[in-house]
Amino acid sequence: MSNTIDKRGGIRQGAGRKKGSGKFGEPTKVLRVPESKVSEVQAWLNLSKSQSKAGVKASTFSEVELGISINKSQQECSEFAWYLPANDVNFIEIPLYSHKVVAGFPSPADDYIEQRLDLNEKLIRNKEATFLLVVQGDSMQKIGIKDGDTLIVDRSLEPKDGKIVIAALDGELTVKRLSMKSTGTWLVPENDDYPPILVREESDIVIWGVVTSAISQF
Amino acid sequence: MSNTIDKRGGIRQGAGRKKGSGKFGEPTKVLRVPESKVSEVQAWLNLSKSQSKAGVKASTFSEVELGISINKSQQECSEFAWYLPANDVNFIEIPLYSHKVVAGFPSPADDYIEQRLDLNEKLIRNKEATFLLVVQGDSMQKIGIKDGDTLIVDRSLEPKDGKIVIAALDGELTVKRLSMKSTGTWLVPENDDYPPILVREESDIVIWGVVTSAISQF
DNA sequence: TAGCTTGATTTATGTAACCGTTTTCATAGT
DNA sequence: ACTATGAAAACGGTTACATAAATCAAGCTA
């Protein structure tokens, strides 16, 4: 009935979605971007979107919050979260103990240590070109990369056939194995539920870097 | 005179500016960008514009191999190789860069970084009680622990039900999931090809520690 | 009456369109 | 032949619009 409908009409304060409820959580502007950069920009925006979510709360603007709660932020990321390795990794002494002593049974905390090492050194080769990503999704599960794992990505390495790479594809970052065959270049997931993706000449896929390590935390 | 003007009109091949003569050198698309990121994106676009003009190609690799090859020593251990974390992990400053510093956009190697982290801090909670093991075997493959992976083990954590633990069993170290049921305490591999192991009262199984992380290197 | 449905209202977001500017070409005038 | 002028085409910033998503209030149903 038109009568019924009429009664529903009218201005209503507080109706509608809330401000800042969009995916960026803030007002937006329109920008013109060269075509080749579009997917890269989008990917980055998605990334920093999840980053700010991870920040703390929807505290409207102050971004001062950034605590060191890495773990928390992992859970909330839409696609990835990313970090950089610590800036200034000192060279730490690495005492070498004989590995034969190993037999000495349960207490490794004592003197017969093999070797001490700095995880940063072990895992990061090119500090300046390395960053960390937290995975979401299971497209690489066959090689043990699981949802929530942290990837160490080196941008200075050349993406070669067979390497695990981070690619910006249609504005989204993905982890895939790079495969260069006679049939062309492919991005291959390590999960039979997902199809390989052909990288065409004209496609706007950008390789961000090569994955050197994957870290699972329990 | 209108006559004069008319003669000048009409379609004229080749007239007008050339394609790609704009500041980006290619066609553009409009994107919506959150306000706080606008200047950042613009800065990056300008940056990469001038770079490509300058013809600076990213040289494929520009790195000197770091000498300390941890990997070698991994191979020599019979069951596991082990290491301790670096002794003296300093608290490293974690610079928070202002987003005004902008610089390189998708290149995290540059300055506009949100957060840096120290892998030691991220992965090691109790430095004194932590050591590293290199896995041999595939008994935990279902949760992504593969042969050759490095485990971070914390001896100070209490082995609880469901935790991944390192157990010394008949003189051999193994990784298993600890399961405490009414049927008793079990060490359960994450691989259907291996049987769970019942831990009897009198058995000489010693739990060395709880696995907090697993690292795969590619 | 509680919960579901429906339509209105408000914000969000991708895209088309608009319009002044810039670059280039062709013709007219000198 | 050289310059001035206007048209054509692309550029790029901005506005406008259409559709989607989120939220509220009133009506409806059980």
Side-chain angles (χ1 to χ4, degrees), chain A residues 31 44 84 86 105 117 120 128, chain B residues 31 86 105 109 117-118 120 208:
Chain A
L31 275 198
W44 180 75
L84 288 177
F105 224 33
L117 58 83
N120 294 312
E128 297 309 321
Chain B
L31 274 196
F105 177 27
L117 60 84
D118 181 341
N120 293 315
W208 273 29

Side-chain angles (χ1 to χ4, degrees), chain A residues 26 28-29 31 33 36 44 84-86 105-106 108 113 115-118 120 122 126 128 156 212 214 216 218, chain B residues 26 29 31-33 36 60 63 82 84-86 105 109 112-113 116-118 120 155 208 212 214 216 218:
Chain A
E26 62 176 306
T28 58
K29 278 192 70 174
L31 275 198
V33 173
S36 69
W44 180 75
L84 288 177
F105 224 33
I113 291 132
Q115 182 170 351
R116 288 182 171 276
L117 58 83
D118 181 341
N120 294 312
K122 174 176 170 63
N126 310 308
E128 297 309 321
S156 73
T212 59
S216 310
F218 302 114
Chain B
E26 62 176 308
K29 280 190 70 175
L31 274 196
R32 197 173 282 275
V33 172
S36 67
T60 29
E63 277 305 317
W82 76 346
L84 288 178
F105 177 27
Y112 78 103
I113 291 126
R116 287 177 174 275
L117 60 84
D118 181 341
N120 293 315
R155 286 177 52 83
W208 273 29
T212 58
S216 310
F218 302 115

Side-chain angles (χ1 to χ4, degrees), chain B residues 145-164:
Chain B
I145 298 179
K146 302 182 301 298
D147 189 274
D149 286 2
T150 300
L151 301 181
I152 299 180
V153 186
D154 190 330
R155 286 177 52 83
S156 71
L157 296 179
E158 186 190 358
K160 292 180 186 163
D161 176 64
K163 294 279 183 187
I164 313 290

Side-chain angles (χ1 to χ4, degrees), chain B residues 5-74:
Chain B
I5 293 175
D6 287 350
K7 280 181 185 170
R8 286 184 183 142
I11 292 174
R12 222 171 298 167
Q13 271 231 338
R17 15 186 342 178
K18 301 301 182 194
K19 277 188 183 175
S21 67
K23 68 177 177 180
F24 297 118
E26 62 176 308
T28 58
K29 280 190 70 175
V30 275
L31 274 196
R32 197 173 282 275
V33 172
E35 272 178 5
S36 67
K37 302 277 160 57
V38 167
S39 71
E40 205 164 349
V41 173
Q42 285 177 328
W44 178 69
L45 289 177
N46 291 334
L47 193 98
S48 48
K49 172 191 64 186
S50 50
Q51 271 185 355
S52 62
K53 270 186 188 168
V56 179
K57 276 188 185 175
S59 68
T60 29
F61 83 103
S62 57
E63 277 305 317
V64 186
E65 297 277 322
L66 289 184
I68 309 179
S69 61
I70 302 306
N71 292 331
K72 280 180 196 162
S73 50
Q74 290 182 2

Side-chain angles (χ1 to χ4, degrees), chain A residues 10-170:
Chain A
I11 293 173
R12 223 174 297 168
Q13 271 232 342
R17 27 191 323 186
K18 301 301 180 194
K19 275 187 184 175
S21 67
K23 66 177 179 183
F24 297 117
E26 62 176 306
T28 58
K29 278 192 70 174
V30 177
L31 275 198
R32 197 174 284 273
V33 173
E35 271 177 6
S36 69
K37 304 275 162 56
V38 167
S39 103
E40 208 162 352
V41 171
Q42 286 176 329
W44 180 75
L45 288 176
N46 289 336
L47 203 64
S48 40
K49 171 189 61 186
S50 47
Q51 190 94 29
S52 63
K53 266 190 196 165
V56 170
K57 286 166 196 169
S59 152
T60 22
F61 55 107
S62 91
E63 58 193 17
V64 192
E65 295 267 69
L66 296 178
I68 315 188
S69 58
I70 303 306
N71 293 329
K72 283 180 197 161
S73 51
Q74 288 183 0
Q75 303 152 5
E76 305 172 29
C77 303
S78 72
E79 182 70 6
F80 290 102
W82 76 344
Y83 309 97
L84 288 177
N87 200 7
D88 134 37
V89 178
N90 330 40
F91 279 75
I92 299 170
E93 90 264 19
I94 304 184
L96 278 181
Y97 293 81
S98 159
H99 73 274
K100 287 154 204 150
V101 194
V102 169
F105 224 33
S107 168
D110 295 330
D111 302 317
Y112 54 94
I113 291 132
E114 272 250 334
Q115 182 170 351
R116 288 182 171 276
L117 58 83
D118 181 341
L119 286 175
N120 294 312
E121 277 186 51
K122 174 176 170 63
L123 299 176
I124 298 173
R125 199 159 297 181
N126 310 308
K127 189 176 52 181
E128 297 309 321
T130 298
F131 62 98
L132 277 61
L133 282 179
V134 177
V135 182
Q136 226 187 27
D138 57 353
S139 72
M140 299 298 277
Q141 55 148 236
K142 277 205 299 187
I143 57 168
I145 298 179
K146 303 181 300 297
D147 190 274
D149 285 3
T150 300
L151 301 181
I152 300 180
V153 186
D154 190 331
R155 284 178 56 84
S156 73
L157 296 180
E158 186 188 359
K160 291 179 187 162
D161 178 62
K163 294 281 183 186
I164 313 290
V165 298
I166 302 294
L169 172 65
D170 295 330

